[in-house]
Amino acid sequence: MKRTHETDDFQSDASDDEVVSDDFEGDDDEDVEDDGDEDEDDDSEDEAQDGPPAKAAKLDKKLYKPPTANELNTLKEAESLFQSNLFKLQITELLTEVTLREKRHRQMETAVEKLKEVLMSLPSGSKFEISDQKWLKKSKVKVPIKQVPKITKGHFNFLAPCSVKCVGSFALGTCIKPSVHVDVLAEMPKECLQAKDFLNQRYLRKRALYLAAIATHLQTNQLIQDLKYSYHHGNHLKPILIIHVKGDSGKPVQVHLHISLPSGAFKPSRFSISQSNVRKAWFQQTEQEEAETEGSDLAATPVYNTTVLQDMMYETHTECLQHAQDDTLGVREGIMLLKVWLRQRELDKGYGCFSGFIMAMYVAHLLDCRKLHRMMSSYQVMRNTLVSLATTDWVTSPPSMCRDESDPQRPSLPTFQEHSDIVFVDPSGYLNLCCNLTHAVYRRVRHEADLAIKCLEGTEVNTFETLLLKPVPFVRKFDVCFHISEMEDVRKSVPKLQLEDSLMDHGGHYVHTCVPTLLNLMEKALGNRIHLVQPQLNACPEWGITEKAPGPESVGSLMFGLLLNPETANSIINKGPPAQAAEAREFRELWGEKSELRRFQDSSINEAVVWMTSSLISKRRQVCFKVIKHILNRHADIPSCNVHFLSHHLDSLLHLPKPKGDNSVYGTGEEEHMAIVQSIDQLSKLLHRLDGLPLSVKSVQGVSPVFRFAEVFPAMPAIPANIQTTNASTGSEFLPYPDKPAPFYVPTMTVMCKLEGSGKWPDDLEAIRRLKAAFFIQLSQALKRKDPSFFVKVAPAHLDVLKDGYVFRLKIGNMREITLAKMYTSPEGTMQSHDTEESRKLQIEYSARPKLTSALHGIQQQYNTFSGAVRLVKRWIASHMMLDYIAEEAIELVVAHCYISPAPYTAPGSPMVGFLRFLSIMSTFDWKTQPLIINLNNEFSKDDISDIQKKFTEDRSSLPLMCICTPQDRLVGHWTRERPTVPILQRLVLLAQQSLQVLQQQLQDDYINADFKTIFRPPLDVFDLVIYLKTKHLPRQHQAVDIAMATKLPTRESENTWKRLMPVVDYDPVQFYLEELRAAFGDLALFFHDKYGGATIGVVWKPRAKETRPFKVLDVGGCIVDSSTSNSDDVLLKVNMDAIIADFEVLGKGLVTHIKKMKSKM
């Protein structure tokens, strides 16, 4: 099996390096310039003087000037706008990090100037037919455009550019690191153009040939290090040439070469949004090309027209942005912050993206509309722009930068809206800047802007990091992701979707043609089940100049994400209009044979679609899968087998095999949790109504993980028969046979009971415990009187009750015990109080855990995927054998943090997404310098959070390694005081990093053949020893990661039997064996085991076991004399590992099959 995890030793040293976002690492050494202008202190007045102090000199007025307007503005900002001074400092630091250093800027300018000289001096070429490209064969350079169809009219001859200019974010000073490049604009001479070049891709073909000709000349130039092609923002009709120019510092300068049209080459009205400039007969090659005149029957070509118009408007747009950013540092830096925000959300790359250019133009538009002011700071520009994005709807009220209404040929806003989903008109009035932007991506931008504003206005910790530093990967953003794997299916859907005209407009790129229609189709079908649906925006491809341009067939697969509406996403029925309504026909047309008439509870008869009859929550989560597959198959002829959903692939880890003869389905355990909660509610009501008790029961609170919906495998609702593996001859309870396989594991579930108040409790802990034991006897008798069928078992510290096939362990919590456990007698004879180990344990058991259970139960009621997520996380940690070394409550709280404080996301809508975000937190959170603040029930105020952070900094050395703060446990560390240790936390972080990387890779690329259980299989070579166990003595073997679902559990026992006899509870021989190992050898080794069916125990020697030590009579246990020091005067001892390993086998006799020493560790 391929290794997916690193195998570092557990004793590896902790790294003090902070985790830094990849997006903000420096470009390289050349971006770091030395500041040679350090200030020297020449003030002799500051030096010590021997004589008496001189007379005070007159104050220099220059040192005490009144603050400038900018300084006052900065001070006012820090006080009123930012949540803290730290936020302002962080923004300043970020801008410093992403801004290009002056030294590197000069190097890039120098390289670009050299390139300009080369481009302007290129030799002219001969004239050829556009379709005749034989002249490129000698150089082997390919034309960077898919020529569909191959033949088109016109001539091309290469001439050197009229001008070469630097445009874009580099020229404007708003480029951000990393991936800094220079946009260079080469103007094609008018002599290269003909009158009819606006038709049938002639200009676009010439543009591509122009780039190919430049590449041909540059490939032998000594200045050029490398040449590649790419698409501008993924638009396959608009290739660019990526030139790597050799720089003075040794690092090449990346230049993106664009081609523009000369002024007056075409009238802008020729490319109005509603014009047709591609003839159908030419595109389909059915007959002689149509007369090149306009006709009313010609289809509009908005995408084609926009592509050409962009080349005509470069300089206009650059001037517009230059005017907006002139002498306004705040505006420039605000645009840079907005670009960082877009980049972190993966919204600024690929075809149909919301690019940094669109964002910069929108800022210029807001300045023009006086919604922004030139005196605003970078933070104000960013915040106000986000507010505007979140609160305005470009669909209904499209923005326009055009102020000139004198040209009657300019298209109106309704005309733009007729041909584009989203409209944002540029200053010329002819170009829609958002022509390729889909409605789905725009909705995502608005959604993210709204989340950003809520984040800025909320009480969240680390707002800056959340907003601008945390990346938001696609697979962690969306609750459900799915792939359309075969692009051939997309190509075939064009006629079904009636998109022939649009395909012509897109130059034959059927993926770009179909995606907007597929998105609209899915939005219509899913309706209020989702908040968002979005295609993944992929980075623009790059390819060598001697390679063919990639077409739609090279896309590989289309990935979509759904952000679910948790209230309606899992509804199993789509209720349509009444049968006789006018909308009924449209409903039937949408759903086809799935639509049927149904009578509802309100007696109405409506059209409806029923997706399933199963009541299992795990099945109902797949309703959206069924909707998507049906709608794509019906309306786009995309087979369901080629639509791959990913969010349910880990569900099998929470499944259990079916018992023999049982027709029920376990699902993923949510139903069992609810059944147990219902059973304890019934028991609670019964306990409240009991008579004849010395003190009545006032409250009943379950405290086991199952009551927090966090038990990985909740107990089955009835007890499987143990006749073959247990002895029932005692007549009261089952007992396991020592020579038979271990009986099916039956857990007890702890329930904390509190009694009514009384002043008669004794002042002695032991006396209180004896009274509680007596109370358990009376409680058992009262239960028997109430219902003779109850089976109970009394123990000194608890009472086991068998109800509905579940075993509840009742305990009594008396807060007086905590007080008494704290008391001690001082040497002076006075009674004093302080926290002890016993008092802490009682505090957790009687107070902290019940409160936590209530809070997490509430989270599950609010977010129904919490249970699945937290159980996947526990299953993952247990599979790596570390669940014994970190408190389950701590794990649950970290997962709860993903739901309570999900920014920059929304709360996870599927268990897999919750699991992914947990891995992200564990792999990136800086436990050394920050507490994880979990604001349960929003009880923390801003002041509380500030106090916690201040105290954390002051008392860090005395606080737990993982500091988790809740309203009930601020810095006490109930759940993390003793564990995890440094090596365990390091190992957990390492595993989280590797697992996150592997799982995201599987979801992105290897989704068809991937084994999603890979990250749940532990690498055994990290251990020094591995102890192998007999599977027949593993009572939880059916819970193992790789258990076959065909495995059957034992046949269920009849109800009469399990009411009559108490089953074997909490019987796990492996846990007993581990307890003995840790008690005997815990000072020498750590023992790791997966309690959920694990068949191995991993052993890691502690450093003490490998060290020699001086001979001492009282410290010779398990040691032998170190023979390597026989010549020394001092006798040294070393641990006799062979004897200890033999002891492991002796202790595990009958359970252990063999022990293997791992060669890589010995």
Side-chain angles (χ1 to χ4, degrees), residues 752-767:
M752 192 60 61
C753 302
K754 291 188 178 179
L755 309 179
E756 64 178 325
S758 172
K760 296 183 180 181
W761 288 97
D763 291 333
D764 181 74
L765 279 175
E766 186 59 31

Side-chain angles (χ1 to χ4, degrees), residues 83-118:
Q83 292 183 348
S84 65
N85 288 333
L86 179 61
F87 191 94
K88 175 174 171 45
L89 292 173
Q90 287 170 323
I91 283 186
T92 304
E93 182 65 21
L94 172 63
L95 288 168
T96 303
E97 286 296 316
V98 301
T99 301
L100 197 63
R101 304 289 176 89
E102 186 61 34
K103 179 180 178 182
R104 179 62 178 165
H105 195 279
R106 290 195 300 269
Q107 291 172 354
M108 295 178 74
E109 282 184 331
T110 302
V112 170
E113 287 300 322
K114 293 179 181 178
L115 178 64
K116 285 182 181 180
E117 294 176 6
V118 172

Side-chain angles (χ1 to χ4, degrees), residues 304-367:
Y304 174 88
N305 297 347
T306 300
T307 303
V308 180
L309 270 175
Q310 288 170 348
D311 286 356
M312 298 171 63
M313 301 297 176
Y314 272 119
E315 293 190 22
T316 303
H317 295 160
T318 301
E319 291 172 4
C320 173
L321 292 175
Q322 189 69 55
H323 174 72
Q325 299 171 28
D326 271 346
D327 302 323
T328 54
L329 181 63
V331 173
R332 280 202 304 274
E333 291 183 341
I335 291 173
M336 294 170 72
L337 290 176
L338 289 165
K339 286 184 177 181
V340 171
W341 178 79
L342 283 173
R343 179 173 293 180
Q344 294 293 64
R345 283 147 187 80
E346 300 180 351
L347 290 168
D348 65 338
K349 63 180 184 180
Y351 185 78
C353 67
F354 195 95
S355 64
F357 168 70
I358 295 176
M359 184 66 83
M361 292 295 284
Y362 189 58
V363 170
H365 170 67
L366 294 178
L367 282 166

